[in-house]
Amino acid sequence: MPCDHLQMTPDLRTPGGHPISAYCFGTMQWGGKSDPADSQAMYDAARAVGINFFDTAHGYTGGASENLLGEFAAPERDHLFIATKCASTGNCAPEAIAKDFDESLKRLDVEFVDMLYMHRWSDDVPLEATYEALAIMVDSGRVRHIGVSNYSAWQVMKAAGVAASLDLRIEMQQPMYNLVKRQAEVEILPMCTSENIAVVPYSPLGGGLLTGNFHLGHDGRSTHVPLD
């Protein structure tokens, strides 16, 4: 299962007040390589072992991932912690963020998400503009918590300073981290420990490299999506 492990968890809870699980289930393949039936089976298996934290993104599988997660989660929304991401293309302009997020809410069929990540860093849009847009979403009740993905340590700290000026706090960081790609150990993990930011690493199996698929002559996600 494409589960990511959450470390150093702040006091984050589902809308119903339940602590979030130590493992997060990533839904990047739902609606793509995993058809709806397989995706439903994955969701059911995750719930059966107590996972209540699910991760998706506006850019995953053309929106199918968000659609499927919304469908599966609907009967028990208050028991789940749902995270999605915007700006997967790197366009962090306020209007682009708003457009992505509005589409994500419709696909998920929810009025709010528990965690909204900025999917990419942008050198082209002032951080103040990006995080002012996020502050509006938080103030409106459509976003409960803010996180970042694929940020370097210095980018997290720079964004955290801007966020703090707007009474926001970056509460999660999502770096790539596995036995093949361990760069997060150098600066990102120590920074998160220092700043009490939860780490939700993605690609824990290295896109299939660590599963044995290649040894058996099969391929994996890293065949099509390089580990860069």
Side-chain angles (χ1 to χ4, degrees):
M1 291 184 184
C3 294
D4 304 324
H5 188 250
L6 177 66
Q7 298 184 10
M8 303 176 299
T9 313
D11 187 21
L12 299 178
R13 295 178 176 268
T14 70
H18 306 281
I20 62 175
S21 52
Y23 285 88
C24 170
F25 195 97
T27 67
M28 182 179 181
Q29 300 298 323
W30 286 9
K33 287 186 174 296
S34 298
D35 64 24
D38 287 340
S39 301
Q40 176 77 71
M42 292 179 193
Y43 177 85
D44 292 342
R47 293 295 291 129
V49 296
I51 294 174
N52 63 2
F53 181 8
F54 290 86
D55 175 279
T56 184
H58 178 271
Y60 289 172
T61 57
S65 172
E66 289 183 321
N67 285 327
L68 289 169
L69 178 56
E71 177 186 339
F72 304 155
E76 52 176 355
R77 174 65 183 95
D78 284 351
H79 300 283
L80 304 176
F81 193 92
I82 295 177
T84 192
K85 309 176 195 72
C86 60
S88 62
T89 63
N91 186 351
C92 298
E95 58 273 17
I97 293 171
K99 180 177 180 295
D100 283 2
F101 186 59
D102 286 344
E103 290 177 350
S104 291
L105 290 182
K106 290 177 182 176
R107 293 170 180 171
L108 289 163
D109 194 22
V110 295
E111 295 181 354
F112 64 90
V113 296
D114 302 300
M115 174 64 63
L116 179 63
Y117 293 99
M118 291 304 303
H119 208 157
R120 305 285 177 189
W121 173 267
S122 172
D123 288 319
D124 300 322
V125 179
L127 280 173
E128 291 78 7
T130 297
Y131 283 84
E132 283 171 4
L134 296 178
I136 291 172
M137 295 175 185
V138 171
D139 290 343
S140 69
R142 297 193 300 159
V143 174
R144 296 180 61 215
H145 304 281
I146 293 294
V148 295
S149 180
N150 299 300
Y151 275 34
S152 65
W154 73 263
Q155 290 169 342
V156 174
M157 294 306 299
K158 189 171 182 178
V162 172
S165 71
L166 299 165
D167 292 325
L168 291 179
R169 183 172 183 275
I170 293 175
E171 298 184 72
M172 284 188 178
Q173 154 75 321
Q174 192 177 82
M176 178 181 286
Y177 182 47
N178 53 58
L179 291 176
V180 179
K181 304 287 279 188
R182 299 177 61 177
Q183 291 93 326
E185 295 175 359
V186 178
E187 291 189 345
I188 290 175
L189 298 187
M191 177 270 300
C192 288
T193 298
S194 171
E195 303 303 313
N196 194 31
I197 298 172
V199 180
V200 190
Y202 71 88
S203 196
L205 296 178
L209 283 175
L210 302 175
T211 64
N213 277 347
F214 294 89
H215 178 71
L216 296 173
H218 306 304
D219 66 3
R221 185 162 59 86
S222 60
T223 305
H224 312 284
V225 183
L227 295 180
D228 53 16

